[in-house]
Amino acid sequence: MIDYQKFAPKNMSVKERRKLDVGDIFSNSATCLICNDTIRSKNRHDFQTCKCGKLSIDGGSWYPKRSFKKEHSWKDNIELYEIMGETIS
Ligand SMILES: [Zn+2]
């Protein structure tokens, strides 16, 4: 599993990102407020779970998927790419 932040910097153009299969989310991260663990999904299929197991995230640069066992027990830390734009097919 390769962390897309390693090859797709925050100011990379949409066109270049799509060539590398990278979406619009630069940092897909969330913090569990129960165990205070911050996790980040580093790839579309990189499923991460916090230390206490109450929060899981997925989706990498493409979609911010969150699964949680307790409501209001986590916060998002999403950072988008600086250059946004229409989807290029
Ligand atoms: Zn936790």
Side-chain angles (χ1 to χ4, degrees):
M1 184 102 43
I2 300 162
D3 180 355
Y4 62 88
Q5 281 187 0
K6 296 261 188 291
F7 58 83
K10 207 175 175 185
N11 60 358
M12 182 179 263
S13 73
V14 179
K15 205 173 162 186
E16 290 302 308
R17 271 189 270 135
R18 291 304 183 269
K19 276 187 210 162
L20 300 169
D21 193 32
V22 173
D24 290 331
I25 303 170
F26 176 68
S27 188
N28 184 350
S29 164
T31 302
C32 172
L33 301 178
I34 298 166
C35 67
N36 218 27
D37 196 12
T38 296
I39 48 179
R40 183 166 71 87
S41 173
K42 301 176 184 73
N43 193 284
R44 194 195 300 239
H45 305 296
D46 181 26
F47 187 84
Q48 293 284 333
T49 302
C50 72
K51 279 180 203 149
C52 77
K54 294 234 179 346
L55 172 71
S56 298
I57 69 171
D58 195 10
S61 64
W62 289 99
Y63 53 92
K65 187 179 171 191
R66 270 85 178 107
S67 313
F68 47 92
K69 294 194 172 125
K70 199 169 174 291
E71 219 76 61
H72 310 299
S73 61
W74 56 281
K75 72 174 173 79
D76 258 316
N77 320 301
I78 288 180
E79 266 183 74
L80 299 174
Y81 274 95
E82 284 169 5
I83 302 168
M84 304 285 290
E86 69 276 26
T87 304
I88 295 162
S89 53

